[in-house]
Amino acid sequence: MSIRDAGFLSRSRILAVVTSRPFLTFAIVALVWIVASFVSRGFGAYGHLRYLVELAAVIGIVAAGQTFVVIAGGIDLSVAAIVTVAAVGLPLFAIDADPTGLTPILAVLAMTTAIGLVNGLGVALLRVHPMIMTLAMATFLQGLLIIIAGGSAVTAANPLVSWVGNARPLGIPAGILVWVVISVVVLVVMHATPFGARLFAMGAGPLAAKLSGVPIASTTMAVYGISGFMSGLAGIIVLGMNGQGYVGIGDPYLLASIAAVVLGGTSILGGLGTYAGSIPGAILLVTITALITVVNASPGWRSILFGTLILALLLLSGREAARR
């Protein structure tokens, strides 16, 4: 290969990165932060930006599971209910014999993963549409939570949960560190393993993937199990940050997780995307919410903005899919 050819390839790769949706989303986040810093004094302070990223970590972790599901050609509308299950259910697993608090956390994560696997079972084996299956699961869980917890808030005297929600190792919130670890693992699994390749094959064409030997049923159950695990982990972090859990605490994370996924360039139709885009997508959504608060706009504008954003991105995804 000549030096000219090598230079051309290098420029092509740089151009591909710069024009990719994840890079553009990161650029938008940076631009919004810069503009907001001039508009609102203190918005660009390190402590405030760190707080925004800490809030984005919860959305980002839920979006990690949602990204797996969407790339595989599905969608999970039960994530908000599962977040609430973890936040409200963890105190029920309190075990005095375990001073570290690890056993209740493992029990809750096993429970939320099992909920995800049931979603996957319904989608893969019973052939229930993902929207119907996960919406039915969400409705069931919400009813169960109302019966168990009623309208009262619950608290968990769990040292590990408190650490995750409030600790600042090296000045960095523990929730952000958990998000960083999750992000690395998700990106490796998604783009450097056979399982990740099966995800994209399923999303691009289930029939072709099946004929190619992809185990559709087990892979579908796995992605919904992962989504359940991620939502459960997010619920534990929310419990630690808020100090208490209550019915409805996970509601804001349904639309936010979907918006973060599609905002980051993942096609809602499946088969195309990356979690590298969902990361800045989560940060951008939290930033927009903060700006709405700064300008004293009605909270309703956040819902309007999120809904408009999702609709616009769905239309864009549909046009991109039509060109493929």
Side-chain angles (χ1 to χ4, degrees):
M1 181 183 295
S2 66
I3 296 177
R4 176 182 296 181
D5 291 338
F8 175 76
L9 288 175
S10 178
R11 288 192 297 271
S12 298
R13 290 170 182 168
I14 293 174
L15 181 62
V17 171
V18 172
T19 57
S20 66
R21 184 75 70 84
F23 183 88
L24 292 176
T25 308
F26 269 116
I28 293 173
V29 169
L31 180 62
V32 171
W33 279 7
I34 292 172
V35 173
S37 298
F38 286 102
V39 173
S40 175
R41 181 178 300 177
F43 190 96
Y46 170 73
H48 184 254
L49 296 181
R50 182 184 62 187
Y51 176 66
L52 292 182
V53 177
E54 184 179 11
L55 295 178
V58 180
I59 298 177
I61 292 173
V62 178
Q66 193 76 264
T67 304
F68 273 106
V69 174
V70 171
I71 287 178
I75 193 166
D76 192 350
L77 301 182
S78 67
V79 293
I82 296 177
V83 169
T84 304
V85 165
V88 174
L90 191 140
L92 302 178
F93 290 94
I95 299 176
D96 296 334
D98 182 7
T100 65
L102 180 60
T103 301
I105 290 176
L106 295 178
V108 166
L109 291 177
M111 179 177 63
T112 58
T113 302
I115 294 172
L117 290 174
V118 172
N119 281 333
L121 183 67
V123 173
L125 299 184
L126 302 181
R127 304 299 177 89
V128 181
H129 192 280
M131 291 185 65
I132 302 300
M133 182 66 209
T134 57
L135 183 59
M137 178 61 75
T139 304
F140 171 81
L141 293 175
Q142 287 169 353
L144 185 63
L145 287 167
I146 292 174
I147 292 174
I148 294 175
S152 59
V154 295
T155 58
N158 188 304
L160 194 53
V161 172
S162 299
W163 183 88
V164 170
N166 301 292
R168 297 284 190 275
L170 302 177
I172 303 173
I176 295 178
L177 297 178
V178 172
W179 188 24
V180 170
V181 174
I182 291 294
S183 299
V184 172
V185 173
V186 167
L187 288 171
V188 170
V189 170
M190 192 171 289
H191 298 289
T193 66
F195 177 76
R198 292 197 293 268
L199 292 181
F200 288 96
M202 279 178 52
L207 180 58
K210 184 176 182 179
L211 294 174
S212 300
V214 174
I216 301 296
S218 61
T219 304
T220 300
M221 291 182 64
V223 296
Y224 282 98
I226 291 171
S227 182
F229 175 86
M230 294 297 179
S231 296
L233 179 59
I236 292 171
I237 295 175
V238 169
L239 176 62
M241 292 172 63
N242 287 274
Q244 61 182 9
Y246 52 87
V247 176
I249 194 172
D251 290 353
Y253 300 107
L254 174 56
L255 277 181
S257 67
I258 297 173
V261 170
V262 294
L263 185 61
T266 296
S267 172
I268 198 68
L269 301 177
L272 180 67
T274 174
Y275 183 61
S278 303
I279 295 171
I283 299 174
L284 181 58
L285 290 174
V286 171
T287 303
I288 292 172
T289 302
L291 285 175
I292 291 174
T293 303
V294 166
V295 299
N296 294 321
S298 167
W301 283 107
R302 184 182 69 174
S303 298
I304 293 174
L305 185 60
F306 281 12
T308 303
L309 184 63
I310 291 175
L311 287 174
L313 291 170
L314 287 176
L315 292 174
L316 180 60
S317 296
R319 291 185 61 184
E320 291 176 348
R323 295 173 183 172
R324 281 156 52 184

